[in-house]
Amino acid sequence: MEDKTFTISVYSENTVGLLNRISGIFLKRHINILSLNVSESEIENVSRFIIVVNTTEKWVQNIVGQIEKQIDVIKAFYHTDEETIFLENALFKIASSLLFDEKQIQNIIKDSQSTIVTVSRDFFVISKSGRRSEIEELYNKFKPYGIMQFVRSGRISVSKEKMEISSLLETFK
């Protein structure tokens, strides 16, 4: 089996220490987490972890099984990139002088469909949402001009197919 990128969705109660226990599952198997995002889910009082890994399907099945054994975990799923709709967000902080002195900067912003979030005397901040490759491309275009700060979020995703988590939780009511 060959390595592929998988997105693991974990629905859980919001409890202290669960992130540590979940990350330990990956550590024991020497599997690197490429991206991690935790947020509220579509279900009240239920959190959703989005974990991106590059491994074989056999290993991801094993990992999901181990995650589901955690007491606070309600359900875990895994999907390939083809089965999900996903993106990341990034912020770029750049010197304000470049916005006015370098015409190419304005073209880069426009061509990349980025948004200027704020402009101050010393810097401006650009927001870009998209696939990792789009964000990396924008980073490479800004790099020669100088990036004061850069941050990229973890992947956020939704599955193309209906996930049965909501109907599963209905049985507990």
Side-chain angles (χ1 to χ4, degrees), residues 62-160:
N62 183 285
I63 289 167
V64 167
Q66 291 298 309
I67 290 171
E68 285 190 327
K69 290 180 181 178
Q70 299 298 311
I71 291 172
D72 304 314
V73 171
I74 299 164
K75 186 70 178 157
F77 303 89
Y78 72 91
H79 296 96
T80 63
D81 283 356
E82 295 77 29
E83 298 170 327
T84 60
I85 299 164
F86 60 91
L87 56 84
E88 298 179 2
N89 295 303
L91 295 175
F92 298 84
K93 181 178 173 184
I94 300 173
S96 284
S97 59
L98 293 172
L99 185 60
F100 306 108
D101 297 343
E102 294 286 343
K103 179 74 170 151
Q104 187 58 25
I105 291 288
Q106 293 177 22
N107 292 335
I108 292 170
I109 295 167
K110 182 179 150 211
D111 293 344
S112 68
Q113 299 175 346
S114 301
T115 305
I116 296 176
V117 178
T118 190
V119 178
S120 76
R121 179 175 301 164
D122 300 322
F123 63 87
F124 66 102
V125 175
I126 295 172
S127 172
K128 171 67 180 159
S129 293
R131 295 197 176 240
R132 179 168 284 214
S133 59
E134 296 170 329
I135 292 170
E136 288 173 349
E137 181 182 338
L138 184 59
Y139 179 90
N140 290 331
K141 287 180 179 178
F142 282 141
K143 190 172 181 177
Y145 297 99
I147 299 171
M148 298 170 74
Q149 289 183 37
F150 169 76
V151 64
R152 179 177 53 224
S153 73
R155 176 183 286 192
I156 55 174
S157 72
V158 293
S159 64
K160 291 179 181 177

Side-chain angles (χ1 to χ4, degrees), residues 15-80:
T15 56
V16 175
L18 181 59
L19 177 59
N20 191 36
R21 292 194 313 271
I22 288 174
S23 66
I25 292 169
F26 293 91
L27 177 66
K28 288 178 193 172
R29 287 157 184 79
H30 301 281
I31 295 175
N32 188 39
I33 294 173
L34 302 176
S35 172
L36 172 67
N37 186 61
V38 183
S39 69
E40 298 171 340
S41 73
E42 66 276 18
I43 304 157
E44 189 175 337
N45 299 319
V46 174
S47 295
R48 183 173 179 190
F49 292 68
I50 302 291
I51 305 165
V52 180
V53 295
N54 193 25
T55 189
T56 64
E57 187 160 7
K58 181 180 178 183
W59 273 109
V60 82
Q61 288 172 347
N62 183 285
I63 289 167
V64 167
Q66 291 298 309
I67 290 171
E68 285 190 327
K69 290 180 181 178
Q70 299 298 311
I71 291 172
D72 304 314
V73 171
I74 299 164
K75 186 70 178 157
F77 303 89
Y78 72 91
H79 296 96
T80 63

